[in-house]
Amino acid sequence: MSLMTSTDTEPDSTRSPGRATGRPGGVWLRAFGICAVVLALLFAATRLDLVPGFDDLFGEETQDRSGPAVLKSIQDMSSYEAASGNFQVVVDLEKDAKYLPDAIRGTRTLYVGAGTVSASVDLGKVVKDGVVVDEERTEATLRLPHAVLGKPALDPDRSYAVSKQRGLLDRLGDFFSDNPSGEQAVNKLAARHIGEAAKESGLTARAEKNTASMLKGLLGSLGFETVTVTFVD
């Protein structure tokens, strides 16, 4: 009587057909999902300040890699800056597209612009007969050009955007743009309004008054008893 052993293998009918055994794709997919959940939880904890010290671990770091400033030119100044005014304007700039609702195409920016405008008298433009001194050197008459306003200088520390509404197409354009959400238009508009306000503020008259007072004090300290300052075109 001989014993026979069979080496044939039969598929195990008890194995669950739904188990993904030996599939590396499923393992990597589950690992990726777990990592994504962990990162999301860490990000939420950082934003909500639930775990002390995470801000230092995942916080932003700013590095200034700018090159050295290069001197391009030097200009000799002869103007006496005699007055300066601080201004602030609220710019409400809206751009709409024809035949399209604002939700699709259009922007509206509310911007607070703050800056200064100076008024100066150019003493370098005094003509030859603009300064007359008597023989005793006790009286002096000065004829100076009128004061002029300088260009408005916006202060970036005091200027800011309050709100900005953009349509869907504008948001997509900012996403693919190298310079998204540029504020050049509102900056120019704020500077223009500040310049117009400076013209109505009386800065030039104040500058001429201060210049006359400065020159009278200076020449008075040199021994002049009478100093007359006039402003002409």
Side-chain angles (χ1 to χ4, degrees), residues 16 32 41 47 65 73 81 83-84 88 106 118 132 157 168 197 204 209 217:
S16 174
F32 178 78
L41 292 176
R47 297 289 294 179
R65 303 184 185 276
S73 64
E81 186 174 317
S84 179
Q88 188 179 71
S118 62
V132 179
D157 293 333
L168 179 60
T204 54
K209 180 180 178 181

Side-chain angles (χ1 to χ4, degrees), residues 43-62:
F43 178 77
T46 303
R47 297 289 294 179
L48 298 177
D49 199 15
L50 298 178
V51 181
F54 266 80
D55 285 339
D56 297 334
L57 182 61
F58 295 100
E60 295 182 354
E61 182 180 357
T62 303

Side-chain angles (χ1 to χ4, degrees), residues 1 6 18 25 27 81 100 102 124 126 140 147 168 189 197 200 204 211 224:
M1 180 176 177
S6 176
V27 175
E81 186 174 317
L100 288 177
D102 294 341
V126 179
L168 179 60
L189 193 57
E200 306 296 333
T204 54
T211 302
F224 288 89

Side-chain angles (χ1 to χ4, degrees), residues 116-160:
T116 59
V117 178
S118 62
S120 60
V121 177
D122 193 351
L123 301 178
K125 292 183 178 181
V126 179
V127 295
K128 292 183 179 180
D129 58 347
V131 179
V132 179
V133 179
D134 66 344
E135 295 181 357
E136 289 79 12
R137 298 185 61 85
T138 59
E139 296 183 5
T141 302
L142 288 79
R143 299 172 67 247
L144 307 178
H146 282 290
V148 295
L149 294 173
K151 293 182 179 180
L154 290 180
D155 186 354
D157 293 333
R158 297 188 294 126
S159 303
Y160 56 92

